[in-house]
PDB file of all heavy atoms in Angstrom:
ATOM      1  N   ARG N  23       9.464  17.744  -3.653  1.00 96.00           N
ATOM      2  CA  ARG N  23      10.148  17.550  -2.385  1.00 96.00           C
ATOM      3  C   ARG N  23      10.924  18.797  -1.974  1.00 96.00           C
ATOM      4  O   ARG N  23      10.997  19.119  -0.795  1.00 96.00           O
ATOM      5  CB  ARG N  23      11.118  16.378  -2.484  1.00 96.00           C
ATOM      6  CG  ARG N  23      10.460  15.013  -2.550  1.00 96.00           C
ATOM      7  CD  ARG N  23       9.684  14.641  -1.279  1.00 96.00           C
ATOM      8  NE  ARG N  23      10.343  15.013  -0.031  1.00 96.00           N
ATOM      9  CZ  ARG N  23      11.346  14.365   0.524  1.00 96.00           C
ATOM     10  NH1 ARG N  23      11.857  13.292  -0.049  1.00 96.00           N
ATOM     11  NH2 ARG N  23      11.871  14.784   1.665  1.00 96.00           N
ATOM     12  N   TYR N  49       0.495  20.715   7.600  1.00 96.00           N
ATOM     13  CA  TYR N  49       1.220  21.297   8.713  1.00 96.00           C
ATOM     14  C   TYR N  49       2.442  22.029   8.191  1.00 96.00           C
ATOM     15  O   TYR N  49       3.018  21.654   7.182  1.00 96.00           O
ATOM     16  CB  TYR N  49       1.679  20.220   9.700  1.00 96.00           C
ATOM     17  CG  TYR N  49       0.552  19.471  10.369  1.00 96.00           C
ATOM     18  CD1 TYR N  49      -0.066  18.394   9.748  1.00 96.00           C
ATOM     19  CD2 TYR N  49       0.095  19.845  11.638  1.00 96.00           C
ATOM     20  CE1 TYR N  49      -1.108  17.714  10.347  1.00 96.00           C
ATOM     21  CE2 TYR N  49      -0.937  19.164  12.254  1.00 96.00           C
ATOM     22  CZ  TYR N  49      -1.530  18.101  11.600  1.00 96.00           C
ATOM     23  OH  TYR N  49      -2.558  17.432  12.204  1.00 96.00           O
ATOM     24  N   GLN N  51       6.258  23.106   9.479  1.00 96.00           N
ATOM     25  CA  GLN N  51       7.249  22.837  10.520  1.00 96.00           C
ATOM     26  C   GLN N  51       8.457  23.736  10.335  1.00 96.00           C
ATOM     27  O   GLN N  51       9.077  23.759   9.269  1.00 96.00           O
ATOM     28  CB  GLN N  51       7.687  21.373  10.509  1.00 96.00           C
ATOM     29  CG  GLN N  51       8.589  21.002  11.681  1.00 96.00           C
ATOM     30  CD  GLN N  51       8.924  19.524  11.721  1.00 96.00           C
ATOM     31  OE1 GLN N  51       9.081  18.882  10.698  1.00 96.00           O
ATOM     32  NE2 GLN N  51       9.057  18.978  12.927  1.00 96.00           N
ATOM     33  N   LEU N  57       5.795  22.198  14.854  1.00 93.00           N
ATOM     34  CA  LEU N  57       4.738  21.777  13.936  1.00 93.00           C
ATOM     35  C   LEU N  57       3.474  22.572  14.205  1.00 93.00           C
ATOM     36  O   LEU N  57       2.938  22.543  15.313  1.00 93.00           O
ATOM     37  CB  LEU N  57       4.438  20.296  14.143  1.00 93.00           C
ATOM     38  CG  LEU N  57       5.009  19.314  13.130  1.00 93.00           C
ATOM     39  CD1 LEU N  57       4.878  17.900  13.649  1.00 93.00           C
ATOM     40  CD2 LEU N  57       4.290  19.437  11.806  1.00 93.00           C
ATOM     41  N   PHE N  59      -0.480  23.434  12.757  1.00 92.00           N
ATOM     42  CA  PHE N  59      -1.577  22.968  11.922  1.00 92.00           C
ATOM     43  C   PHE N  59      -2.045  24.090  10.985  1.00 92.00           C
ATOM     44  O   PHE N  59      -2.269  25.228  11.416  1.00 92.00           O
ATOM     45  CB  PHE N  59      -2.721  22.521  12.825  1.00 92.00           C
ATOM     46  CG  PHE N  59      -4.004  22.210  12.123  1.00 92.00           C
ATOM     47  CD1 PHE N  59      -4.132  21.073  11.344  1.00 92.00           C
ATOM     48  CD2 PHE N  59      -5.092  23.053  12.248  1.00 92.00           C
ATOM     49  CE1 PHE N  59      -5.330  20.784  10.711  1.00 92.00           C
ATOM     50  CE2 PHE N  59      -6.291  22.776  11.621  1.00 92.00           C
ATOM     51  CZ  PHE N  59      -6.410  21.636  10.854  1.00 92.00           C
ATOM     52  N   GLU N  62      -7.404  21.195   7.525  1.00 94.00           N
ATOM     53  CA  GLU N  62      -7.787  19.820   7.270  1.00 94.00           C
ATOM     54  C   GLU N  62      -8.934  19.803   6.276  1.00 94.00           C
ATOM     55  O   GLU N  62      -9.859  20.621   6.364  1.00 94.00           O
ATOM     56  CB  GLU N  62      -8.232  19.094   8.542  1.00 94.00           C
ATOM     57  CG  GLU N  62      -8.620  17.646   8.293  1.00 94.00           C
ATOM     58  CD  GLU N  62      -9.528  17.064   9.365  1.00 94.00           C
ATOM     59  OE1 GLU N  62      -9.916  17.789  10.293  1.00 94.00           O
ATOM     60  OE2 GLU N  62      -9.865  15.870   9.255  1.00 94.00           O
ATOM     61  N   ASN N  70     -11.429  22.112   9.147  1.00 88.00           N
ATOM     62  CA  ASN N  70     -10.773  22.757  10.265  1.00 88.00           C
ATOM     63  C   ASN N  70      -9.655  23.641   9.724  1.00 88.00           C
ATOM     64  O   ASN N  70      -9.058  23.316   8.685  1.00 88.00           O
ATOM     65  CB  ASN N  70     -10.204  21.700  11.214  1.00 88.00           C
ATOM     66  CG  ASN N  70      -9.998  22.199  12.615  1.00 88.00           C
ATOM     67  OD1 ASN N  70     -10.257  23.360  12.921  1.00 88.00           O
ATOM     68  ND2 ASN N  70      -9.546  21.318  13.478  1.00 88.00           N
ATOM     69  N   LEU N 104       4.255  19.650   5.639  1.00 97.00           N
ATOM     70  CA  LEU N 104       3.918  18.238   5.765  1.00 97.00           C
ATOM     71  C   LEU N 104       2.432  18.016   5.540  1.00 97.00           C
ATOM     72  O   LEU N 104       1.596  18.779   6.017  1.00 97.00           O
ATOM     73  CB  LEU N 104       4.299  17.738   7.157  1.00 97.00           C
ATOM     74  CG  LEU N 104       5.789  17.653   7.453  1.00 97.00           C
ATOM     75  CD1 LEU N 104       6.042  17.566   8.944  1.00 97.00           C
ATOM     76  CD2 LEU N 104       6.408  16.456   6.742  1.00 97.00           C
ATOM     77  N   GLY N 111     -10.108  11.103   9.930  1.00 80.00           N
ATOM     78  CA  GLY N 111      -9.685  12.337  10.571  1.00 80.00           C
ATOM     79  C   GLY N 111      -9.427  12.244  12.050  1.00 80.00           C
ATOM     80  O   GLY N 111      -8.717  13.063  12.610  1.00 80.00           O
ATOM     81  N   ARG N 112      -9.994  11.221  12.707  1.00 83.00           N
ATOM     82  CA  ARG N 112      -9.761  11.103  14.142  1.00 83.00           C
ATOM     83  C   ARG N 112      -8.977   9.844  14.484  1.00 83.00           C
ATOM     84  O   ARG N 112      -8.770   9.544  15.649  1.00 83.00           O
ATOM     85  CB  ARG N 112     -11.093  11.099  14.894  1.00 83.00           C
ATOM     86  CG  ARG N 112     -11.707  12.476  15.014  1.00 83.00           C
ATOM     87  CD  ARG N 112     -12.844  12.487  15.990  1.00 83.00           C
ATOM     88  NE  ARG N 112     -13.122  13.835  16.448  1.00 83.00           N
ATOM     89  CZ  ARG N 112     -13.967  14.131  17.420  1.00 83.00           C
ATOM     90  NH1 ARG N 112     -14.608  13.162  18.049  1.00 83.00           N
ATOM     91  NH2 ARG N 112     -14.181  15.378  17.770  1.00 83.00           N
ATOM     92  N   THR N 114      -5.538   7.162  13.364  1.00 91.00           N
ATOM     93  CA  THR N 114      -4.101   7.316  13.155  1.00 91.00           C
ATOM     94  C   THR N 114      -3.834   8.109  11.883  1.00 91.00           C
ATOM     95  O   THR N 114      -4.423   7.831  10.836  1.00 91.00           O
ATOM     96  CB  THR N 114      -3.428   5.948  13.045  1.00 91.00           C
ATOM     97  OG1 THR N 114      -3.676   5.213  14.240  1.00 91.00           O
ATOM     98  CG2 THR N 114      -1.923   6.094  12.846  1.00 91.00           C
ATOM     99  N   ILE N 115      -2.963   9.098  11.980  1.00 93.00           N
ATOM    100  CA  ILE N 115      -2.609   9.875  10.804  1.00 93.00           C
ATOM    101  C   ILE N 115      -1.223   9.472  10.324  1.00 93.00           C
ATOM    102  O   ILE N 115      -0.354   9.125  11.118  1.00 93.00           O
ATOM    103  CB  ILE N 115      -2.688  11.393  11.048  1.00 93.00           C
ATOM    104  CG1 ILE N 115      -1.641  11.859  12.048  1.00 93.00           C
ATOM    105  CG2 ILE N 115      -4.076  11.792  11.516  1.00 93.00           C
ATOM    106  CD1 ILE N 115      -1.563  13.373  12.123  1.00 93.00           C
ATOM    107  N   PHE N 117       2.007  10.561   7.788  1.00 96.00           N
ATOM    108  CA  PHE N 117       2.618  11.719   7.152  1.00 96.00           C
ATOM    109  C   PHE N 117       3.373  11.352   5.890  1.00 96.00           C
ATOM    110  O   PHE N 117       3.909  10.256   5.754  1.00 96.00           O
ATOM    111  CB  PHE N 117       3.599  12.391   8.118  1.00 96.00           C
ATOM    112  CG  PHE N 117       2.946  13.274   9.132  1.00 96.00           C
ATOM    113  CD1 PHE N 117       2.437  12.736  10.312  1.00 96.00           C
ATOM    114  CD2 PHE N 117       2.833  14.639   8.909  1.00 96.00           C
ATOM    115  CE1 PHE N 117       1.828  13.563  11.260  1.00 96.00           C
ATOM    116  CE2 PHE N 117       2.230  15.463   9.854  1.00 96.00           C
ATOM    117  CZ  PHE N 117       1.736  14.925  11.024  1.00 96.00           C
ATOM    118  N   GLY N 118       3.447  12.327   4.987  1.00 96.00           N
ATOM    119  CA  GLY N 118       4.332  12.225   3.847  1.00 96.00           C
ATOM    120  C   GLY N 118       5.726  12.700   4.232  1.00 96.00           C
ATOM    121  O   GLY N 118       5.972  13.086   5.384  1.00 96.00           O
ATOM    122  N   GLU N 119       6.642  12.670   3.267  1.00 95.00           N
ATOM    123  CA  GLU N 119       8.014  13.072   3.526  1.00 95.00           C
ATOM    124  C   GLU N 119       8.173  14.587   3.592  1.00 95.00           C
ATOM    125  O   GLU N 119       9.177  15.084   4.057  1.00 95.00           O
ATOM    126  CB  GLU N 119       8.937  12.510   2.441  1.00 95.00           C
ATOM    127  CG  GLU N 119       9.108  11.001   2.501  1.00 95.00           C
ATOM    128  CD  GLU N 119       9.875  10.574   3.737  1.00 95.00           C
ATOM    129  OE1 GLU N 119      10.992  11.080   3.963  1.00 95.00           O
ATOM    130  OE2 GLU N 119       9.354   9.728   4.490  1.00 95.00           O
ATOM    131  N   TRP N 122      10.086  20.744   1.114  1.00 97.00           N
ATOM    132  CA  TRP N 122      10.962  21.771   1.677  1.00 97.00           C
ATOM    133  C   TRP N 122      10.843  23.025   0.809  1.00 97.00           C
ATOM    134  O   TRP N 122      11.213  23.006  -0.351  1.00 97.00           O
ATOM    135  CB  TRP N 122      12.410  21.299   1.697  1.00 97.00           C
ATOM    136  CG  TRP N 122      12.724  20.334   2.766  1.00 97.00           C
ATOM    137  CD1 TRP N 122      12.762  18.982   2.680  1.00 97.00           C
ATOM    138  CD2 TRP N 122      13.083  20.642   4.122  1.00 97.00           C
ATOM    139  NE1 TRP N 122      13.113  18.425   3.883  1.00 97.00           N
ATOM    140  CE2 TRP N 122      13.318  19.430   4.789  1.00 97.00           C
ATOM    141  CE3 TRP N 122      13.227  21.844   4.834  1.00 97.00           C
ATOM    142  CZ2 TRP N 122      13.684  19.363   6.137  1.00 97.00           C
ATOM    143  CZ3 TRP N 122      13.598  21.778   6.170  1.00 97.00           C
ATOM    144  CH2 TRP N 122      13.812  20.546   6.809  1.00 97.00           C
TER     145      TRP N 122
ATOM    146  N   TYR Y  32      -9.384  13.562  22.372  1.00 91.00           N
ATOM    147  CA  TYR Y  32      -9.972  12.400  21.720  1.00 91.00           C
ATOM    148  C   TYR Y  32      -8.967  11.246  21.708  1.00 91.00           C
ATOM    149  O   TYR Y  32      -9.310  10.100  21.934  1.00 91.00           O
ATOM    150  CB  TYR Y  32     -10.387  12.763  20.300  1.00 91.00           C
ATOM    151  CG  TYR Y  32     -11.258  11.733  19.635  1.00 91.00           C
ATOM    152  CD1 TYR Y  32     -12.596  11.605  19.958  1.00 91.00           C
ATOM    153  CD2 TYR Y  32     -10.730  10.882  18.676  1.00 91.00           C
ATOM    154  CE1 TYR Y  32     -13.396  10.652  19.358  1.00 91.00           C
ATOM    155  CE2 TYR Y  32     -11.520   9.930  18.064  1.00 91.00           C
ATOM    156  CZ  TYR Y  32     -12.842   9.827  18.406  1.00 91.00           C
ATOM    157  OH  TYR Y  32     -13.632   8.883  17.800  1.00 91.00           O
ATOM    158  N   ASN Y  33      -7.724  11.573  21.394  1.00 94.00           N
ATOM    159  CA  ASN Y  33      -6.659  10.579  21.435  1.00 94.00           C
ATOM    160  C   ASN Y  33      -5.310  11.274  21.502  1.00 94.00           C
ATOM    161  O   ASN Y  33      -5.207  12.504  21.400  1.00 94.00           O
ATOM    162  CB  ASN Y  33      -6.716   9.626  20.226  1.00 94.00           C
ATOM    163  CG  ASN Y  33      -6.672  10.355  18.892  1.00 94.00           C
ATOM    164  OD1 ASN Y  33      -5.907  11.292  18.716  1.00 94.00           O
ATOM    165  ND2 ASN Y  33      -7.474   9.902  17.943  1.00 94.00           N
ATOM    166  N   GLN Y  35      -1.221  10.672  20.049  1.00 96.00           N
ATOM    167  CA  GLN Y  35      -0.416   9.867  19.135  1.00 96.00           C
ATOM    168  C   GLN Y  35       1.058  10.213  19.306  1.00 96.00           C
ATOM    169  O   GLN Y  35       1.424  11.375  19.521  1.00 96.00           O
ATOM    170  CB  GLN Y  35      -0.863  10.146  17.683  1.00 96.00           C
ATOM    171  CG  GLN Y  35      -0.379   9.154  16.664  1.00 96.00           C
ATOM    172  CD  GLN Y  35      -1.144   9.252  15.339  1.00 96.00           C
ATOM    173  OE1 GLN Y  35      -2.135   9.951  15.213  1.00 96.00           O
ATOM    174  NE2 GLN Y  35      -0.657   8.522  14.343  1.00 96.00           N
ATOM    175  N   PHE Y  37       4.919   9.946  17.543  1.00 97.00           N
ATOM    176  CA  PHE Y  37       5.586   9.858  16.262  1.00 97.00           C
ATOM    177  C   PHE Y  37       7.095   9.900  16.470  1.00 97.00           C
ATOM    178  O   PHE Y  37       7.572  10.388  17.489  1.00 97.00           O
ATOM    179  CB  PHE Y  37       5.228  11.055  15.363  1.00 97.00           C
ATOM    180  CG  PHE Y  37       3.768  11.215  15.069  1.00 97.00           C
ATOM    181  CD1 PHE Y  37       2.941  11.912  15.933  1.00 97.00           C
ATOM    182  CD2 PHE Y  37       3.222  10.694  13.905  1.00 97.00           C
ATOM    183  CE1 PHE Y  37       1.592  12.084  15.658  1.00 97.00           C
ATOM    184  CE2 PHE Y  37       1.873  10.864  13.619  1.00 97.00           C
ATOM    185  CZ  PHE Y  37       1.063  11.560  14.500  1.00 97.00           C
ATOM    186  N   GLN Y  39      10.549  11.260  14.162  1.00 96.00           N
ATOM    187  CA  GLN Y  39      10.954  11.992  12.974  1.00 96.00           C
ATOM    188  C   GLN Y  39      12.464  11.916  12.836  1.00 96.00           C
ATOM    189  O   GLN Y  39      13.192  12.324  13.726  1.00 96.00           O
ATOM    190  CB  GLN Y  39      10.500  13.457  13.033  1.00 96.00           C
ATOM    191  CG  GLN Y  39      10.778  14.232  11.751  1.00 96.00           C
ATOM    192  CD  GLN Y  39      10.228  15.636  11.774  1.00 96.00           C
ATOM    193  OE1 GLN Y  39      10.100  16.262  12.824  1.00 96.00           O
ATOM    194  NE2 GLN Y  39       9.869  16.160  10.589  1.00 96.00           N
ATOM    195  N   LYS Y  43      13.105  14.336   7.412  1.00 88.00           N
ATOM    196  CA  LYS Y  43      12.044  13.436   6.957  1.00 88.00           C
ATOM    197  C   LYS Y  43      10.696  13.821   7.548  1.00 88.00           C
ATOM    198  O   LYS Y  43      10.595  14.665   8.428  1.00 88.00           O
ATOM    199  CB  LYS Y  43      12.377  11.996   7.377  1.00 88.00           C
ATOM    200  CG  LYS Y  43      13.706  11.487   6.871  1.00 88.00           C
ATOM    201  CD  LYS Y  43      13.632  11.142   5.403  1.00 88.00           C
ATOM    202  CE  LYS Y  43      14.895  10.419   4.953  1.00 88.00           C
ATOM    203  NZ  LYS Y  43      14.828  10.042   3.520  1.00 88.00           N
ATOM    204  N   GLY Y  44       9.665  13.139   7.063  1.00 91.00           N
ATOM    205  CA  GLY Y  44       8.355  13.313   7.655  1.00 91.00           C
ATOM    206  C   GLY Y  44       8.246  12.540   8.960  1.00 91.00           C
ATOM    207  O   GLY Y  44       9.212  11.949   9.426  1.00 91.00           O
ATOM    208  N   LEU Y  45       7.048  12.543   9.528  1.00 94.00           N
ATOM    209  CA  LEU Y  45       6.821  11.853  10.795  1.00 94.00           C
ATOM    210  C   LEU Y  45       6.318  10.440  10.545  1.00 94.00           C
ATOM    211  O   LEU Y  45       5.505  10.215   9.649  1.00 94.00           O
ATOM    212  CB  LEU Y  45       5.785  12.601  11.625  1.00 94.00           C
ATOM    213  CG  LEU Y  45       6.255  13.819  12.405  1.00 94.00           C
ATOM    214  CD1 LEU Y  45       6.624  14.964  11.482  1.00 94.00           C
ATOM    215  CD2 LEU Y  45       5.181  14.271  13.389  1.00 94.00           C
ATOM    216  N   SER Y  47       4.279   7.370  12.326  1.00 95.00           N
ATOM    217  CA  SER Y  47       3.403   7.070  13.446  1.00 95.00           C
ATOM    218  C   SER Y  47       3.914   5.850  14.214  1.00 95.00           C
ATOM    219  O   SER Y  47       4.275   4.840  13.620  1.00 95.00           O
ATOM    220  CB  SER Y  47       1.987   6.799  12.941  1.00 95.00           C
ATOM    221  OG  SER Y  47       1.149   6.412  14.000  1.00 95.00           O
ATOM    222  N   LEU Y  50      -0.951   5.022  18.767  1.00 96.00           N
ATOM    223  CA  LEU Y  50      -2.111   5.879  18.989  1.00 96.00           C
ATOM    224  C   LEU Y  50      -2.841   5.350  20.211  1.00 96.00           C
ATOM    225  O   LEU Y  50      -3.126   4.150  20.301  1.00 96.00           O
ATOM    226  CB  LEU Y  50      -3.046   5.844  17.790  1.00 96.00           C
ATOM    227  CG  LEU Y  50      -4.381   6.576  17.948  1.00 96.00           C
ATOM    228  CD1 LEU Y  50      -4.180   8.071  17.815  1.00 96.00           C
ATOM    229  CD2 LEU Y  50      -5.406   6.078  16.947  1.00 96.00           C
ATOM    230  N   ARG Y  94      -5.138  15.219  20.246  1.00 91.00           N
ATOM    231  CA  ARG Y  94      -6.260  15.680  19.420  1.00 91.00           C
ATOM    232  C   ARG Y  94      -7.412  16.084  20.319  1.00 91.00           C
ATOM    233  O   ARG Y  94      -7.926  15.274  21.094  1.00 91.00           O
ATOM    234  CB  ARG Y  94      -6.719  14.589  18.457  1.00 91.00           C
ATOM    235  CG  ARG Y  94      -7.763  15.078  17.464  1.00 91.00           C
ATOM    236  CD  ARG Y  94      -8.197  13.976  16.508  1.00 91.00           C
ATOM    237  NE  ARG Y  94      -7.161  13.546  15.594  1.00 91.00           N
ATOM    238  CZ  ARG Y  94      -6.795  14.198  14.498  1.00 91.00           C
ATOM    239  NH1 ARG Y  94      -7.397  15.326  14.179  1.00 91.00           N
ATOM    240  NH2 ARG Y  94      -5.850  13.704  13.712  1.00 91.00           N
ATOM    241  N   VAL Y  96     -11.125  17.255  21.545  1.00 86.00           N
ATOM    242  CA  VAL Y  96     -12.474  16.769  21.272  1.00 86.00           C
ATOM    243  C   VAL Y  96     -13.303  17.824  20.555  1.00 86.00           C
ATOM    244  O   VAL Y  96     -13.989  17.551  19.573  1.00 86.00           O
ATOM    245  CB  VAL Y  96     -13.176  16.349  22.574  1.00 86.00           C
ATOM    246  CG1 VAL Y  96     -14.650  16.068  22.330  1.00 86.00           C
ATOM    247  CG2 VAL Y  96     -12.514  15.119  23.162  1.00 86.00           C
ATOM    248  N   ASN Y  98     -12.743  20.685  18.657  1.00 74.00           N
ATOM    249  CA  ASN Y  98     -12.533  21.148  17.286  1.00 74.00           C
ATOM    250  C   ASN Y  98     -11.646  20.205  16.465  1.00 74.00           C
ATOM    251  O   ASN Y  98     -11.269  20.527  15.343  1.00 74.00           O
ATOM    252  CB  ASN Y  98     -11.924  22.554  17.277  1.00 74.00           C
ATOM    253  CG  ASN Y  98     -10.577  22.614  17.960  1.00 74.00           C
ATOM    254  OD1 ASN Y  98     -10.041  21.590  18.385  1.00 74.00           O
ATOM    255  ND2 ASN Y  98     -10.015  23.803  18.078  1.00 74.00           N
ATOM    256  N   ASN Y  99     -11.337  19.052  17.017  1.00 77.00           N
ATOM    257  CA  ASN Y  99     -10.526  18.058  16.309  1.00 77.00           C
ATOM    258  C   ASN Y  99      -9.108  18.541  16.020  1.00 77.00           C
ATOM    259  O   ASN Y  99      -8.393  17.925  15.252  1.00 77.00           O
ATOM    260  CB  ASN Y  99     -11.215  17.658  14.991  1.00 77.00           C
ATOM    261  CG  ASN Y  99     -10.859  16.243  14.575  1.00 77.00           C
ATOM    262  OD1 ASN Y  99     -10.767  15.356  15.412  1.00 77.00           O
ATOM    263  ND2 ASN Y  99     -10.652  16.032  13.293  1.00 77.00           N
ATOM    264  N   MET Y 101      -5.266  19.088  16.293  1.00 87.00           N
ATOM    265  CA  MET Y 101      -4.182  18.229  16.776  1.00 87.00           C
ATOM    266  C   MET Y 101      -2.991  19.114  17.116  1.00 87.00           C
ATOM    267  O   MET Y 101      -2.440  19.774  16.234  1.00 87.00           O
ATOM    268  CB  MET Y 101      -3.811  17.217  15.696  1.00 87.00           C
ATOM    269  CG  MET Y 101      -3.025  16.036  16.218  1.00 87.00           C
ATOM    270  SD  MET Y 101      -3.065  14.701  15.008  1.00 87.00           S
ATOM    271  CE  MET Y 101      -2.353  13.381  15.950  1.00 87.00           C
ATOM    272  N   PHE Y 103       0.851  19.528  18.589  1.00 94.00           N
ATOM    273  CA  PHE Y 103       2.102  18.790  18.738  1.00 94.00           C
ATOM    274  C   PHE Y 103       2.993  19.408  19.798  1.00 94.00           C
ATOM    275  O   PHE Y 103       3.033  20.632  19.961  1.00 94.00           O
ATOM    276  CB  PHE Y 103       2.857  18.781  17.410  1.00 94.00           C
ATOM    277  CG  PHE Y 103       2.302  17.824  16.395  1.00 94.00           C
ATOM    278  CD1 PHE Y 103       1.184  18.161  15.641  1.00 94.00           C
ATOM    279  CD2 PHE Y 103       2.896  16.585  16.191  1.00 94.00           C
ATOM    280  CE1 PHE Y 103       0.666  17.276  14.711  1.00 94.00           C
ATOM    281  CE2 PHE Y 103       2.386  15.693  15.260  1.00 94.00           C
ATOM    282  CZ  PHE Y 103       1.279  16.038  14.524  1.00 94.00           C
TER     283      PHE Y 103
END
Side-chain angles (χ1 to χ4, degrees):
Chain N
R23 288 295 319 282
Y49 297 83
Q51 187 175 35
L57 258 168
F59 171 72
E62 181 202 3
N70 203 359
L104 291 163
R112 283 192 160 188
T114 301
I115 66 171
F117 280 85
E119 290 292 306
W122 284 96
Chain Y
Y32 192 76
N33 56 42
Q35 195 164 352
F37 301 86
Q39 186 175 29
K43 303 284 189 179
L45 280 69
S47 176
L50 174 77
R94 187 180 293 281
V96 170
N98 61 4
N99 208 39
M101 198 163 190
F103 284 80

